[in-house]
């Protein structure tokens, strides 16, 4: 009978409950050893967690599609296939009622098997079992235990208990036999015993304190890993949790010799400082990345704000640590663009990486208490977290980062902040969040060292005409020109102009609103163009600001906050030293109307332009200029969306999580996803590895526009809006959004370049 109980549908491999349990047990025991848990308890939770899949309702869900396809909806054929299975009739009843969608959660049926284990182990196993898929309360599906068992705010356990323990005598013996095969004893649990356990579990969940459950995080990690790798799970799990020995690889005995060109490589005393946390403020090219890695002692989470910089950093770290190192990248398109085609995309989101390169938002679940926050906290606990270029986030995201720093410190993480510029007010906030100067090794370059990083001369121009004249003169002189726009539409317009103005010069456009697969290719092309000696024009948005190791000859940029401008300056004359050969950075004056300065704050942008000189920019003066622009920290309160009060006392009950939407609400993230109409069929058919390269990040306005234009959504993956093919251009990306009406003047520009 045990071999007939499925844990996965035939369309997902058809694993039996015994097979899947075996995989989860192996992963739970491995993760328990890595995290310092009791492996015996972890094993018990892994055995019990899915026994409720034996319930006819769970089996019917797994069999539903196959019943229609394999058996043609014919009951007799299904009966003949399972002549001796006691629970067959109950499954057929569930199949007949399947479309009514009567709520059933297999993890709740699993609670009936608690009597198979010692009573003293029930609390830990409960935490692993009862919420390994759903929050116990407030789940977006409304199917957590407390959601189902509370009616109009009052406990009403009866219907939920009856539903999840129904037909018990038909199916429970088969599930108990699975448990017995893992050493839980050969005995049946009566329905009365199961009901008593269910009632105990309900009361125990209602009495849960505030906080988070490490046991829940452990089981969720093991279950997801085992489901992904199936028969390979045990072997893959054993290879996790290696430490990169970054301090040696990036230290003086590693492959990077100390050099005056990289002054941070000479700071051996600071690298060995016993204080757990780090704040490094130094110009681009001073060796910040290597120094931050030297400060790391365990596994490393390296955070950066943009996809392009994550890809570049991952390539760099793999080169340094070796291709066999467990280095993973994590962002929306992290499965795209593997150079050798062998990158294990599915591994990227799982725990145990030696080095994981990602955005702060991807560990933000520990701040917001969203799904999986316990698993993320376990993976982070006691490890090294690098926050690179922390200043690049807006006021709302800055609030998240401040709280993230404090939560990471409370988890025993060693936090290392690296930045080219940081206002004194923000520096004070970060140091305080990390426990004060006694716990933070703070490193800055001397004025003499800073003088070697004088690399730019600042020019101010009044309008777009003057900016284009600068670009034309630079191209004529054989220069490589980077043009950075604050908005995608403006980057597209400038690229269209360059196409017409310089037909014989290499040109490239890169921004966030390309198909993710196209975007990965364009990032590689930016690196290639920057390495060539001949003239070129690259029109880009903020996606090129951080950590791309490119060095152009001239920058023409929209006015922006001073910290963002400093990052853009770092893409020009990057490797020069000594201040002998200054390269021009040209700033276009901000528009008169505040709304035209978006996405930035107009007052900040204008203060930033006023703070910059005309002529040589001295690196030693940059801190004073930054402090004039940012005399105070511009963080905004988001406490109501967080998992903790300001003093870090918990808001959430154990076994509960917030819906993912709280991050979107708290940070006011306005984003949509689109696909081309011609890609819809492939998107519907394909797995995530096929779908993600077809997705086009889009502004929030797309959703409203789709309703006006009658565009539909593809009900797969991220439910993207399906846009007409003529709304996307292979060279320009997603075109400016508009309702279906007379042609936009921008169409005239497009027609000239096609």
């Amino acid at each position: 009978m045990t071999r007939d109980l499925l844990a996965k549908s035939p369309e997902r491999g058809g694993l039996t409950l015994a097979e899947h349990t075996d995989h989860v047990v192996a992963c739970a025991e491995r993760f328990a050893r890595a995290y310092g848990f009791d492996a015996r308890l972890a094993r018990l939770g892994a055995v019990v967690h899915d026994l409720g899949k034996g319930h006819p309702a769970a089996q019917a869900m797994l069999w539903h599609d196959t019943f229609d396809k394999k058996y043609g909806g014919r009951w007799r054929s299904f009966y003949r296939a399972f002549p001796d299975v006691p629970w067959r009739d109950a499954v057929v009843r569930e199949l007949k009622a399947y479309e009514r969608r009567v709520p059933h959660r297999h993890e709740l049926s699993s609670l009936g098997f608690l009597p198979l284990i010692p009573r003293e182990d029930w609390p830990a196993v409960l935490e692993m079992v009862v919420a390994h898929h759903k929050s116990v309360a407030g789940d977006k599906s409304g199917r957590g235990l407390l959601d189902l068992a509370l009616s109009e705010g009052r406990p009403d356990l009866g219907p939920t208990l009856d539903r999840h323990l129904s037909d018990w005598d038909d199916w429970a013996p088969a599930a108990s036999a699975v448990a017995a095969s893992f050493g839980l004893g050969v005995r049946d649990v009566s329905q009365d015993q199961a009901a008593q356990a269910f009632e105990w579990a309900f009361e125990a969940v209602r009495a849960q304190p505030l906080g988070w459950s490490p046991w829940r995080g452990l089981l969720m990690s093991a279950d997801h890993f085992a489901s992904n790798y199936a028969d390979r799970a045990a072997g893959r799990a054993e290879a996790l949790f290696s430490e990169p020995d970054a301090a040696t690889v990036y230290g003086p005995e590693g492959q990077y010799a100390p050099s005056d060109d990289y002054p941070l490589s000479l700071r051996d005393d600071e690298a060995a400082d016993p204080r757990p946390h780090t704040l490094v403020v130094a110009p681009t090219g001073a060796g910040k990345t290597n120094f931050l890695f030297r400060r790391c002692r365990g596994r490393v989470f390296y955070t950066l704000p943009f996809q392009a910089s994550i890809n570049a950093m991952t390539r760099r770290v793999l080169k340094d640590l070796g291709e066999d190192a467990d280095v993973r990248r994590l962002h929306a398109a992290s499965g795209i663009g593997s150079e050798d085609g062998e990158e294990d995309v599915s591994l990227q989101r799982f725990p145990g990486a030696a080095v994981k390169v990602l955005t702060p938002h991807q560990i933000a679940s520990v701040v917001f208490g969203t799904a999986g926050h316990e698993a993320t906290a376990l993976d982070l606990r006691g490890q090294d977290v690098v926050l690179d270029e922390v200043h690049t986030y807006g006021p709302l995201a800055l609030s998240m980062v401040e709280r993230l720093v404090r939560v990471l410190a409370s988890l025993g993480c060693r936090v290392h902040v690296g930045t080219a510029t940081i206002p004194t007010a923000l520096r004070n906030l970060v140091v305080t969040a990390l426990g004060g100067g006694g716990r933070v090794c703070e490193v800055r370059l001397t004025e003499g060292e800073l003088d070697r990083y004088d690399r730019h001369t600042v020019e101010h121009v009044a309008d777009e005409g003057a900016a284009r004249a600068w670009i034309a003169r630079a191209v004529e002189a054989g220069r490589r020109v980077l043009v950075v726009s604050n908005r995608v539409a403006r980057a597209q317009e400038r690229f269209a102009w360059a196409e017409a103005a310089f037909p014989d010069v290499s040109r490239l456009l890169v921004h966030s609103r390309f198909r993710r697969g196209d975007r990965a290719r364009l990032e590689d092309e930016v690196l290639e163009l920057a390495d060539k000696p001949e003239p070129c024009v690259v029109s880009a948005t903020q996606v090129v600001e951080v950590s791309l190791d490119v060095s152009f000859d001239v920058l023409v940029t929209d006015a922006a906050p001073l910290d963002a401008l400093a990052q853009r300056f770092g893409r020009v004359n990057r490797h020069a030293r000594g201040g002998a050969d200054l390269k021009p950075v040209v700033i276009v004056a901000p528009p008169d109307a505040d709304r035209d300065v978006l996405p930035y704050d107009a007052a900040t942008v204008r203060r930033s332009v006023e703070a910059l000189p005309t002529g040589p920019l001295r690196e030693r003066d940059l801190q004073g200029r930054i402090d004039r622009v940012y005399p105070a920290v511009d963080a905004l309160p988001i406490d109501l969306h967080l998992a903790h009060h300001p003093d870090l006392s918990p808001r959430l009950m154990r076994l509960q999580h917030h819906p993912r939407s709280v991050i979107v609400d708290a940070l006011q993230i306005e984003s949509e996803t689109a696909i081309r109409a011609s890609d819809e069929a492939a998107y519907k058919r394909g797995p995530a590895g096929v779908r993600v390269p077809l997705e086009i990040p889009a502004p929030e306005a797309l959703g409203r526009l789709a309703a006006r234009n009658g565009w539909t959504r593809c009900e797969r993956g991220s439910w993207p809006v399906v846009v007409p093919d003529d709304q996307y251009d292979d060279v320009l990306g997603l075109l400016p959004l508009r309702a279906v009406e007379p042609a936009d003047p921008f169409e005239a520009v497009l027609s000239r370049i096609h």
Side-chain angles (χ1 to χ4, degrees), residues 278-451:
T278 313
L279 174 62
V280 180
V281 184
T284 300
K288 280 197 302 294
T289 297
N290 287 14
F291 184 84
L292 291 168
F293 269 115
R294 287 182 70 183
R295 292 281 295 158
C296 295
R297 301 293 180 263
R299 294 186 293 112
V300 180
F301 294 77
Y302 201 109
T303 73
L304 288 160
F306 298 122
Q307 172 180 317
S309 50
I310 287 171
N311 291 339
M313 182 61 70
T314 303
R315 286 191 289 265
R316 173 180 176 176
V317 175
L318 274 170
K319 178 176 177 290
D320 292 342
L321 299 184
E323 293 297 323
D324 293 333
D326 185 6
V327 179
R328 309 181 208 162
R329 58 194 171 120
L330 188 62
H331 54 70
S334 57
I336 303 170
S338 173
E339 294 178 355
D340 58 9
E342 297 180 357
E343 183 175 2
D344 188 347
V345 174
S346 58
L347 185 63
Q348 292 162 347
R349 67 184 186 275
F350 291 119
V355 179
K356 187 175 283 189
V357 190
L358 67 172
T359 72
H361 297 79
Q362 286 160 328
I363 54 175
S365 63
V366 299
V367 171
F368 291 99
T370 49
H373 66 97
E374 301 98 337
T376 301
L378 282 180
D379 199 27
L380 286 165
R381 194 162 63 177
Q383 306 306 319
D384 289 271
V385 181
V386 176
L387 299 175
D388 203 352
E389 306 305 347
V390 68
H391 67 277
T392 59
Y393 311 109
L396 286 167
L398 181 58
S399 300
M400 180 198 78
V401 170
E402 186 273 340
R403 185 63 58 86
L404 178 61
V405 165
R406 294 206 288 136
V407 171
L408 291 173
S410 75
L411 289 171
C413 296
R414 295 170 293 276
V415 181
H416 313 289
V417 179
T419 180
T421 58
I422 187 168
T424 298
L426 178 55
R427 173 264 173 207
N428 295 340
L429 182 72
V430 169
V431 170
T432 299
L434 290 173
R439 295 184 58 77
V440 181
C441 173
E442 190 167 354
V443 183
R444 293 177 182 263
L445 301 191
T446 66
E447 288 191 344
E449 289 171 328
L450 288 172
D451 289 344

Side-chain angles (χ1 to χ4, degrees), residues 66 111 194 350 594:
T66 301
L111 299 174
F350 291 119
D594 287 359

Side-chain angles (χ1 to χ4, degrees), residues 18-327:
E19 290 169 333
H20 175 62
T21 301
D22 185 49
H23 303 156
V24 179
V25 165
C27 293
E29 290 178 334
R30 173 68 183 103
F31 290 7
R33 295 196 304 272
Y35 294 141
F37 283 43
D38 183 335
R40 181 191 65 84
L41 274 176
R43 178 184 179 88
L44 290 179
V47 172
V48 173
H49 87 288
D50 266 0
L51 292 179
K53 282 188 174 178
H55 191 286
Q59 291 295 296
M61 288 183 65
L62 296 172
W63 274 111
H64 183 260
D65 290 342
T66 301
F67 177 75
D68 287 340
K69 296 173 184 175
K70 183 175 180 180
Y71 301 105
R74 294 185 297 273
W75 305 110
R76 289 182 181 179
S77 298
F78 189 75
Y79 270 66
R80 283 197 297 269
F82 300 94
D84 301 318
V85 177
W87 44 262
R88 178 190 59 185
D89 292 343
V91 171
V92 169
R93 287 197 302 272
E94 291 285 352
L95 281 167
K96 289 179 177 178
Y98 184 82
E99 296 304 327
R100 294 203 297 270
R101 301 281 183 178
V102 178
H104 175 269
R105 294 304 313 163
H106 69 268
E107 60 268 35
L108 302 187
S109 290
S110 298
L111 299 174
F113 295 94
L114 286 173
L116 291 175
I117 65 175
R119 184 65 181 249
E120 61 269 21
D121 295 333
W122 285 20
V125 172
L126 172 71
E127 292 183 37
M128 287 184 268
V129 173
V130 70
H132 71 268
H133 286 297
K134 304 290 184 185
S135 174
V136 293
D139 192 81
K140 65 179 182 180
S141 70
R143 296 187 178 186
L145 175 59
L146 299 186
D147 298 325
L148 293 172
L150 294 176
S151 176
E152 297 181 356
R154 295 187 299 275
D156 187 12
L157 185 61
T160 302
L161 185 152
D162 292 343
R163 172 60 169 149
H164 288 86
L165 302 184
S166 60
D167 297 304
W168 181 263
D169 291 337
D170 286 340
W171 65 272
S176 293
V178 172
S181 70
F182 291 92
L184 263 65
V186 182
R187 73 185 188 88
D188 291 335
V189 176
S190 72
Q191 188 157 4
D192 284 344
Q193 291 172 321
Q196 291 170 13
F198 202 100
E199 291 168 351
W200 172 88
F202 175 65
E203 295 300 332
V205 167
R206 292 182 66 199
Q208 287 292 311
L210 299 178
W212 66 284
S213 168
W215 283 115
R216 185 191 188 204
L218 174 74
L219 195 283
M220 290 177 73
S221 297
D223 189 25
H224 292 165
F225 194 89
S227 295
N228 190 82
Y229 286 103
D231 290 338
R232 298 177 295 146
R236 297 307 302 265
E238 286 298 328
L240 302 178
F241 303 103
S242 62
E243 294 185 352
D245 194 18
T248 299
V249 171
Y250 290 95
E253 298 178 2
Q255 55 188 292
Y256 291 99
S259 167
D260 288 340
D261 285 340
Y262 302 97
L264 290 173
S265 69
L266 306 175
R267 301 293 186 90
D268 293 340
D269 289 344
E270 288 94 335
D273 191 292
R275 286 173 287 187
H277 309 303
T278 313
L279 174 62
V280 180
V281 184
T284 300
K288 280 197 302 294
T289 297
N290 287 14
F291 184 84
L292 291 168
F293 269 115
R294 287 182 70 183
R295 292 281 295 158
C296 295
R297 301 293 180 263
R299 294 186 293 112
V300 180
F301 294 77
Y302 201 109
T303 73
L304 288 160
F306 298 122
Q307 172 180 317
S309 50
I310 287 171
N311 291 339
M313 182 61 70
T314 303
R315 286 191 289 265
R316 173 180 176 176
V317 175
L318 274 170
K319 178 176 177 290
D320 292 342
L321 299 184
E323 293 297 323
D324 293 333
D326 185 6
V327 179

Side-chain angles (χ1 to χ4, degrees), residues 524-541:
D524 290 338
E525 292 181 14
V526 170
L527 297 174
E528 292 173 6
L529 276 183
D531 281 342
K532 293 179 179 179
E534 59 262 23
C536 66
V537 178
V538 173
S539 180
T541 57

